Amino acid sequence: MVTEEKIGNNIPLDGAEGHVTGTSEYVSDISKIENELIVDFFYSTEPHGEIINIDLEEARKISGIVGLYTYKDIEGENKFGPIIKDEVLLAESILEYVGQPIVIIAGESKKAIKLAKKTIKIEIKKLPHILSIEEAIEKNQFIGETRVIERGDIEKEFQKAEYILEGNTRNGGQEHFYLESQAAIAYPQENNTLEIISSTQNPTEVQNVIAEILGIPFNKIVVKTRRMGGAFGGKETQATHPAAMAALVAMKTKRPARIVLSCDDDMITTGKRHEFYNKYKVAFTKEGLITALKVEFFSNGGYSNDLSTSIRERAMFHAENAYFIPNIKTIGKVCKTNLPSNTAFRGFGGPQGMLNIESIIEDIAIFLKIDAFDIRRLNCFGIEKNNTTSYEQEVSNNTLPELMDKLLKTSNYKERHKQIEEYNKNSTLYLKGISFTLVMFGISFTARFMNQASALVNIYTDGSIQVSTGGTEMGQGLNTKISQIVADEFCVEPKTVRMMITSTEKNNNTSPSAASASTDLNGTAAKDACQKIKTRLIEFASNYLVKDNSEHKPSINAIEWTYDGIYDKRISNKKITFKELVKNAYLNRISLGERGFYATPQITLFDWNTGRGKPFLYFTNGAAVSEVRIDRFTGELKVLRTDILMDIGKSINPGIDKGQIIGGFIQGMGWLTTEELKYSEKGELLSHSPTTYKIPNIQDIPEVLNVDWIENGKNVVNIRQSKAVGEPPLMTSISVWTAVKHALSFISNGEIPKLDAPATSEEILKAMSRFPISMKV
Ligand code: MTE
Ligand code: HPA
Ligand code: MOS
């Protein structure tokens, strides 16, 4: 007998067995079919310049080279972009970054392509370039409009403030480091149509952009995505370019065309997390109550907008993080530089916004000589009052105080804080630090229209089920969670539900799988489809179950649908299985398929003129305590212990959610400690491989890592009272960075230590060297 709900169980990740045995198919695993071409591209080695001449003569002569295409070969539009149409697939007259594609190369072999690349000659007239945010500010080079959110009167508050601190913070970019690089295959089909297999979070955008580049209607392109070997935001918009290159080749040659970027080229040519430089001024009382804050965010957008303006907006929405600041003004600008266009990365600007305020609070604590925890507790959003954000969205069902109080106890923070003070007094080799930070992350796409999803549910006559949604699987467990939701709607085992390949021909006009909201959106759409079918099946069952019974008339209210079977409660000895029910429904011509739809309720269109709106359906919250140790001579950092406590509502799959929390935290730790993007003066990425770009490995993981979440069934606005979990845990890693700051404060003689992110050993050493050595030997 199976009576237990499938929601809340640790069903293994859909496809996990294939992943570990090597049978799961990624784009480069798909068998080559006859005639297939390899696609690659020749890219700019200059950060800024004018193309004087492109010489392809020698390349054309190479045997095995089938096609060489420049922007002139594009029959549709060479201009696109998710927000502003300011991107080109292939450079026209101006080159804007090192890595910018100029010529698409189609060949029979990698060898031929390699040779062709050596012979292509591009004559370039160099133009002055800029790489840094500072230069862009100086030259007034921005993308899009400036955004402002303002509440209260900061200037008045600054005038009467007890204390004011002013300064800046900086955090670096981050490479996505997905294990599967950008990849796609285009198959030409009859009547000038194409089928594309793409490793993308966003099949619809790949479809639309390809159609526009080829100058044909959207319905001539079908894009399919089985899964990605990781994406992390890097395939929300930037999977489009390689797919479009393959599509162009397939259309021109009528041959299948496959592109798989080498890991180095992927790192060199695609965008990353945005580097941010922020100026701030904060007013506070002697108790550490923040009364006013002004923040100016400057992000490094790269050469085009991509999602930069939207990412900057999310940074602004999270400028205050989990703290109520009565007078606040945030200004956000995107800088245009000669780098690849930066893009979505787990957190989507949220981490950059939060790091700034968490850094400010750590500084206030050092300045006032108060435990930073007490300052955070004092300023944390309240339950009844002090519970509206700078843009005046109410923080409802606020679990932050509960998280703070619980984690304070379970982490033994206060005691350890004291121990660290003692330890540092006597330690000559190491310094320790501890920090407790919060996360309050808004869930919903900040662009209202994107918060919609559809799903297709088909039941077969043997009772097995297929589900298709616009959501894509990148390892985050979306498909597993949706199969659990569907299984639970029909009271069947999740293994009877098969999640189908994501395809634009099954679900149209889909949003990317992003903003952590994929289960919320696609799961609810799937549930909608299930409920429509269920309504028909209940009606059918009400007739079917009384058909040989003269005592009872059909009644849908009498139907009980359980894991044990479906029955009429008045005749409970006659139970039928789901399989029997659907088989008989089919014989009686009841439709066993349905399309479901969901549009997130309650959220409003954000008004940027007033800086007001309700962009988020709810917030996912978290708290973290990290203890670190730094080597006073080398700057080496070790994270000794981290405790994370989240509010993820009622978990649909605790195993997967725990994986997301740990993975998010570690990925964030990489961003803030070891991952550093280094460029040459020309804007060539120097750290373009694992030998020069350091992501966390097993030795970097905290020696003690405790992960837990609170029981919260109050998030009734979302499916099964769950909360999105994909991105929020990344920001628990901020506790590691602020703990470094705390450690440094023990040798800074009361001064606020200046620390940028990432806090690499080099950066920590630099920070320490600013203070005279005061060592007891
Ligand atoms: N987890 C894995 N394993 N791989 C990924 O690429 N991407 C993250 C997060 N977790 C990612 C991941 C990002 S950036 C987002 S927005 C969410 O998953 C997207 O999936 P969701 O909406 O289903 O949470
Ligand atoms: N989050 C993630 N991805 C997005 C968003 C967002 O808010 N808006 C557009 N793409
Ligand atoms: Mo995630 S950055 O929203 O793809």
Side-chain angles (χ1 to χ4, degrees), residues 227-243:
R227 62 172 65 78
M228 284 155 277
F232 309 110
K235 296 173 183 173
E236 183 173 338
T237 55
Q238 303 207 354
T240 302
H241 310 68

Side-chain angles (χ1 to χ4, degrees), residues 327-357:
N327 303 286
I328 179 166
K329 182 172 186 177
T330 46
I331 302 160
K333 290 186 170 144
V334 178
C335 297
K336 181 176 157 85
T337 59
N338 296 102
L339 288 171
S341 195
N342 286 322
T343 191
F345 195 137
R346 206 169 190 171
F348 205 78
Q352 293 96 321
M354 283 182 200
L355 183 64
N356 183 61
I357 181 71

Side-chain angles (χ1 to χ4, degrees), residues 201 231-234 236 344-348 445 474 513-516 727:
Q201 290 171 258
F232 309 110
E236 183 173 338
F345 195 137
R346 206 169 190 171
F348 205 78
F445 285 99
M474 58 197 99
S513 295
S516 308
E727 295 164 287

Side-chain angles (χ1 to χ4, degrees), residues 69-87:
Y69 308 100
T70 68
Y71 78 94
K72 289 181 183 149
D73 297 296
I74 292 174
E75 282 164 43
E77 255 191 291
N78 188 27
K79 276 227 174 296
F80 57 97
I83 300 168
I84 304 171
K85 279 197 173 196
D86 61 350
E87 282 180 64

Side-chain angles (χ1 to χ4, degrees), residues 201-217:
Q201 290 171 258
N202 200 349
T204 288
E205 185 162 288
V206 173
Q207 175 202 23
N208 298 358
V209 171
I210 288 177
E212 282 170 356
I213 282 170
L214 298 178
I216 59 177

Side-chain angles (χ1 to χ4, degrees), residues 151 320 381 387-395 440 619:
R151 169 172 68 185
E320 66 222 73
F381 278 116
N387 60 349
T388 51
T389 65
S390 60
Y391 45 94
E392 305 248 283
Q393 164 155 1
E394 193 194 323
V395 182
M440 185 179 106
F619 297 92

